[in-house]
Amino acid sequence: MTIANLSRRTLLQAGGALLASTALPTFTLAQGAPAGGRLIVAADSEPKNLNPAIVASNGVFFIASKVIEPLAEASFDGKDGLAPRLATSWEGSADGKSVTFKLREGVKWHDGKPFTSADVAYSALNIWKPLQNLGRLVFANLEAVDTPDATTAVFKFSKPTPLQLIRNALPVVSSVVPRHLYEGTDIATNPANVKLVGTGPFKLTEYKPGEYYRLTRNADYWGKGEPKLDEVIFRVLPDRAGAGAALEAEEIQLAAFSAVPLTDLARISKVPGIKVISKGYEALTYQLVVEINHRRKELADLKVRQAIAHAIDRKFVVDTIFLGYAAASTGPVPKNAPEFYDASVPTYAFDTAKANALLDEAGYKKGANGTRFSLKLRPAPYFNETKQFGDYLRQALAAVGIDAQLINADSAAHQKAVYTDHDFDLAIGPPVFRGDPAISTTILVRSGIPAGVPFSNQGGYENKELDGIIAKAAETVDTAARTELYKQFQQIVATDLPLINVAEWGFITVARDTVENVSNNPRWAVSNWSDTALKS
């Protein structure tokens, strides 16, 4: 099946107007390329900035990770859960003030220029630290990168920085870009942010807005015998209902990030030639969280927050909203992060009687109409499940006398209302746990975060003890001591409820059984797919 033969009629019938144009070009494979075939993949969004060194997000990584590589990738069986990419080894100093990376030799950028330590130093100091959404936290104390030779980069920190943190963060924060294309330019507006030049197994060859991204084989890739594929085509299918039909019609071969709705999985799993895979998202754990505006008098009361936690039936949420493709949360660190997870934190069983009693104790008695007070509830619009949970939470709160007024908005309006204007009482967010609490979890509860930072503590919660633990962990080099601090962190968060963790989930990949080497690392959907292949 070539992209020229994709059936517009089938896709339209499956999910509405999915394609932006009627005429699709025929792509010709590169002369002399091995017969690795073309993999056609569903994509449901088009990031404005494709540079993962600036925007470390799954929507960007999904496409860009095949083109631009990090220093290391997550691994199921590698040492410390990592597999080398542009770095072959990394070693931290005893005082926590330096990390030495040995870099891979013989690597070329897609434009033929050699990859060197100068590219790593430039990316770290000029992009990861000052510009990247996650790197600015991980590399906050990075002050210099020494490059004694072309294959050595020595990161120097002004304060002790745990190797455990750097190591855990490498797959997410260390995408390297070519210094020769960025130096002396306005990084934020550089054309290379969308016309990517990387070292990865695929080159970004063509992009047609509303239709597709075309990636072609990098014949000079450093991985021996890789990539296995000739091309990867990301088809823009914004209506998720169409992905399943396109898979059944063999018009696409893979849909990741639950592009096939959960409600369709039971049926499609029985279709010959299709496999449903839950593996491959272990390092991308999404968390369903109730964000709380502590500026609101009622919500500043711990008993009220405890009552809300008891009003939520987590089993119902997992079984009915996620159809079993999730697990109930106990706290801010998910169960599939065993390095840090603490199972002994306080939990809040579903108990409406207890919730009502706590609200009574807090002094918020039911009025004649059965209502204690009203709240403004904003569910995040990013996933069907977050929106559905908004409807459920409104009903759950009504059962204990809290009138939750549901306000739905698009992504931009939601982010502005919650994270800039603080125009919410409760919000529903899906933050991601990325392997270490310091990367994207402590920011959810640490005080002093400036307004406008998405997925951060914009509820005004402040706990000096918790802030102290977070700060101490950020500079604790000893791994065991640092891990213990994060267990204390979990205990405080689960006890004081600055937010309420409800569920945690990964995504589902659905693929034709002709696609090989799927989901073979914990970040597979956002890794480089160098060994992904098609059966001949």
Side-chain angles (χ1 to χ4, degrees):
M1 174 67 64
T2 65
I3 198 166
N5 294 328
L6 289 176
S7 166
R8 176 177 170 81
R9 178 177 56 81
T10 300
L11 291 176
L12 286 173
Q13 289 173 343
L18 300 179
L19 303 181
S21 70
T22 55
L24 298 177
T26 298
F27 294 124
T28 302
L29 299 181
Q31 292 294 321
R38 173 186 292 128
L39 177 67
I40 305 177
V41 183
D44 67 354
S45 64
E46 298 176 86
K48 292 181 180 178
N49 186 331
L50 269 179
N51 183 350
I54 297 175
V55 184
S57 76
N58 292 336
V60 171
F61 284 133
F62 188 39
I63 296 167
S65 60
K66 288 71 183 161
V67 180
I68 293 178
E69 295 184 292
L71 296 176
E73 185 53 271
S75 169
F76 284 125
D77 51 17
K79 184 176 183 294
D80 297 316
L82 291 175
R85 287 293 186 265
L86 290 178
T88 57
S89 68
W90 38 90
E91 184 175 351
S93 63
D95 64 2
K97 289 192 172 183
S98 71
V99 180
T100 300
F101 292 93
K102 295 303 292 183
L103 305 178
R104 193 174 295 278
E105 297 181 14
V107 177
K108 293 181 182 179
W109 294 102
H110 292 160
D111 61 6
K113 302 284 187 183
F115 160 78
T116 73
S117 57
D119 298 304
V120 175
Y122 180 85
S123 297
L125 292 171
N126 294 276
I127 303 181
W128 304 344
K129 173 177 173 157
L131 300 179
Q132 192 190 92
N133 54 325
L134 299 177
R136 66 180 67 191
L137 300 173
V138 175
F139 297 110
N141 297 316
L142 180 67
E143 60 180 1
V145 179
D146 293 346
T147 53
D149 58 57
T151 57
T152 305
V154 184
F155 284 44
K156 299 290 186 71
F157 297 89
S158 60
K159 295 180 180 179
T161 299
L163 178 61
Q164 182 188 38
L165 167 60
I166 299 298
R167 208 169 50 213
N168 289 339
L170 287 177
V172 183
V173 302
S174 68
S175 298
V176 184
V177 296
R179 182 181 73 161
H180 64 276
L181 294 183
Y182 279 89
E183 194 168 39
T185 72
D186 179 357
I187 292 172
T189 61
N190 192 303
N193 292 335
V194 288
K195 297 179 180 178
L196 303 179
V197 174
T199 58
F202 298 96
K203 299 179 179 181
L204 179 58
T205 305
E206 189 178 4
Y207 165 50
K208 192 162 186 179
E211 293 191 32
Y212 59 83
Y213 297 86
R214 179 190 180 207
L215 278 55
T216 56
R217 185 177 187 273
N218 174 16
D220 292 324
Y221 186 54
W222 56 262
K224 186 176 181 180
E226 294 176 338
K228 306 296 186 185
L229 296 165
D230 294 312
E231 292 186 325
V232 180
I233 306 294
F234 288 90
R235 288 306 318 270
V236 179
L237 303 177
D239 186 338
R240 292 188 172 220
L247 276 162
E248 291 183 71
E250 298 187 59
E251 294 174 336
I252 64 173
Q253 295 133 304
L254 188 140
F257 282 112
S258 298
V260 175
L262 298 181
T263 51
D264 290 346
L265 293 181
R267 180 191 61 78
I268 206 169
S269 67
K270 298 180 177 67
V271 174
I274 288 180
K275 52 188 177 181
V276 174
I277 308 160
S278 59
K279 188 179 176 184
Y281 297 94
E282 289 79 0
L284 302 173
T285 301
Y286 277 70
Q287 299 172 288
L288 186 68
V289 167
V290 179
E291 298 170 296
I292 297 170
N293 193 337
H294 292 256
R295 302 172 187 85
R296 177 73 184 253
K297 180 187 64 158
E298 294 90 343
L299 298 176
D301 188 324
L302 176 59
K303 289 184 177 180
V304 173
R305 302 197 298 273
Q306 291 172 333
I308 293 173
H310 281 297
I312 298 170
D313 185 346
R314 288 165 173 77
K315 186 177 187 303
F316 177 89
V317 172
V318 168
D319 292 347
T320 306
I321 295 177
F322 288 95
L323 302 181
Y325 293 98
S329 292
T330 56
V333 174
K335 299 179 185 69
N336 67 1
E339 184 178 18
F340 298 103
Y341 178 66
D342 184 357
S344 71
V345 298
T347 55
Y348 301 85
F350 174 54
D351 189 335
T352 53
K354 189 165 188 177
N356 276 306
L358 283 164
L359 290 166
D360 287 341
E361 289 173 27
Y364 298 105
K365 304 290 185 181
K366 288 184 179 179
N369 62 355
T371 299
R372 302 175 189 274
F373 52 84
S374 295
L375 295 175
K376 189 181 294 184
L377 170 61
R378 290 184 177 272
Y382 316 122
F383 305 111
N384 288 335
E385 291 75 24
T386 53
K387 291 182 283 189
Q388 290 169 9
F389 180 70
D391 292 327
Y392 163 77
L393 184 57
R394 180 180 61 81
Q395 297 172 41
L397 293 177
V400 296
I402 299 174
D403 175 29
Q405 300 168 0
L406 209 57
I407 301 175
N408 290 299
D410 63 23
S411 297
H414 176 82
Q415 289 201 17
K416 183 175 186 296
V418 175
Y419 301 110
T420 300
D421 299 339
H422 308 145
D423 182 21
F424 74 105
D425 295 317
L426 301 176
I428 297 162
V432 184
F433 185 86
R434 299 182 184 273
D436 191 293
I439 299 173
S440 55
T441 299
T442 57
I443 194 173
L444 301 174
V445 295
R446 181 166 58 90
S447 68
I449 307 296
V453 178
F455 305 113
S456 70
N457 173 18
Q458 294 300 329
Y461 174 78
E462 184 174 1
N463 182 319
K464 294 298 185 185
E465 181 186 6
L466 188 62
D467 286 347
I469 288 172
I470 292 169
K472 186 176 180 181
E475 297 180 13
T476 298
V477 176
D478 182 81
T479 297
R482 183 172 182 266
T483 301
E484 180 57 35
L485 285 168
Y486 281 126
K487 291 191 173 180
Q488 295 176 33
F489 161 83
Q490 292 170 74
Q491 290 286 339
I492 293 173
V493 172
T495 300
D496 206 32
L497 295 177
L499 46 72
I500 298 170
N501 289 86
V502 177
E504 51 205 45
W505 81 99
F507 287 95
I508 304 296
T509 296
V510 183
R512 301 295 309 183
D513 60 10
T514 52
V515 187
E516 299 180 315
N517 296 331
V518 174
S519 299
N520 57 7
N521 76 60
R523 296 177 73 251
W524 183 79
V526 294
S527 65
N528 70 13
W529 295 6
S530 62
D531 64 346
T532 301
L534 290 171
K535 292 179 184 176
S536 57

